[in-house]
Amino acid sequence: MEEQLEVIATSYDRAIDLGRQGVDQYANLPKSITNHPYFPLFQKMQQEENLSDSGRNEIVSFLKPEKGMNFIDLGCCLNFMFRGYQNWDSTYYGVDISPKTIELLKEYIARHDLPVGSLYCGSMHQTPYSDHFFDIGCCIGSLEYFEKEFVEKVMDEIARIMKPGGKFVLDIPHMGTPEFEITAQIEEYLGRKDRFNLLMNEFEDLINSRFAIEKRENVGPMLQYFLICL
């Protein structure tokens, strides 16, 4: 688990470095990927921005962020910059394993003088927040990198830091679909192999003692869950 966390941190640190240089990691994929019969699906998903969509209207409509609410973004990446979260009335808290991601977010927040609760560089299975601190939250595009043992720890942590009745949105791979197959190949090429090993019903069995599933939606290569914390 620790090794995989380091792999993911290193991969996203590299992505930040390349992004600062204006390099698009997806622009020069190898022919083994671009010639794959499912690659046009990936291109379509890129155009529609639904590879791992943290900014869907369905998320904000479900969470209904309001002033006075604390919002936790686990595996936050650059959602605060690019997915509209900086415009929400709720107070933003971000957690990410990549030091360079957190560094860039802090630069952005300081440059624009934006209010946030905190940004924490660390694993989403062990956060520094007190019990039942958050009203709303999400974890998008992160669980696919980890196996069952780690996923269970993350779900326990979510249940710990969320208020009863709090709303949470997360996604897991839609295993067996062409969209996920091509996306997983690209993720592995970028140095962050997907290791998720739970089928949909296994994941739902894992969470059903802590969360009520309000709805489940197909979003490109992922299944997006809208949960109520029990």
Side-chain angles (χ1 to χ4, degrees):
M1 185 172 70
E2 294 300 326
E3 181 180 349
Q4 180 67 352
L5 286 167
E6 182 61 30
V7 166
I8 300 304
T10 299
S11 176
Y12 277 102
D13 278 354
R14 181 172 182 270
I16 294 296
D17 286 340
L18 291 173
R20 287 183 184 274
Q21 298 167 30
V23 176
D24 181 357
Q25 286 187 292
Y26 298 101
N28 295 297
L29 297 171
K31 288 185 178 180
S32 60
I33 290 176
T34 58
N35 289 339
H36 193 284
Y38 295 156
F39 186 67
L41 288 175
F42 177 80
Q43 293 176 303
K44 181 181 179 182
M45 289 186 291
Q46 274 192 308
Q47 293 170 355
E48 296 174 353
E49 296 186 341
N50 70 349
L51 286 170
S52 175
D53 195 346
S54 307
R56 299 178 70 216
N57 290 332
E58 290 83 354
I59 293 178
V60 66
S61 295
F62 176 72
L63 296 181
K64 294 182 172 59
E66 297 178 358
K67 189 174 182 180
M69 286 184 172
N70 292 326
F71 166 54
I72 183 65
D73 188 6
L74 297 176
C76 62
C77 198
L78 300 178
N79 293 333
F80 187 80
M81 293 170 60
F82 298 125
R83 299 305 185 201
Y85 295 172
Q86 75 271 30
N87 298 318
W88 290 11
D89 290 331
S90 52
T91 302
Y92 183 87
Y93 293 77
V95 173
D96 202 278
I97 197 67
S98 159
K100 292 188 177 182
T101 294
I102 295 298
E103 179 185 0
L104 181 56
L105 284 172
K106 286 182 176 179
E107 290 175 11
Y108 176 83
I109 287 165
R111 185 165 63 249
H112 296 279
D113 193 24
L114 297 169
V116 298
S118 72
L119 296 173
Y120 173 70
C121 184
S123 174
M124 56 190 173
H125 82 293
Q126 291 179 329
T127 72
Y129 307 111
S130 59
D131 294 356
H132 310 311
F133 184 73
F134 294 101
D135 304 274
I136 54 177
C138 68
C139 178
I140 304 296
S142 296
L143 292 178
E144 63 264 33
Y145 301 125
F146 302 100
E147 297 178 355
K148 179 181 178 181
E149 179 186 1
F150 183 82
V151 173
E152 285 185 296
K153 291 179 183 296
V154 172
M155 299 312 299
D156 286 343
E157 183 69 355
I158 292 171
R160 182 187 72 81
I161 62 177
M162 293 295 298
K163 294 179 180 178
K167 296 180 178 181
F168 201 92
V169 181
L170 58 79
D171 63 0
I172 65 169
H174 196 177
M175 307 287 279
T177 62
E179 290 86 353
F180 178 69
E181 181 177 327
I182 187 62
T183 304
Q185 287 191 29
I186 293 170
E187 288 287 285
E188 184 170 3
Y189 170 76
L190 296 176
R192 44 181 186 260
K193 183 177 180 179
D194 292 345
R195 296 188 178 276
F196 195 85
N197 60 351
L198 291 162
L199 297 176
M200 179 182 72
N201 63 313
E202 293 173 327
F203 175 75
E204 293 181 5
D205 287 344
L206 184 151
I207 68 171
N208 65 12
S209 65
R210 298 290 192 92
F211 306 91
I213 300 172
E214 187 80 2
K215 61 179 177 176
R216 181 187 65 231
E217 296 182 347
N218 298 342
V219 184
M222 310 297 284
L223 293 169
Q224 202 164 87
Y225 283 84
F226 297 75
L227 307 176
I228 305 293
C229 301
L230 300 178

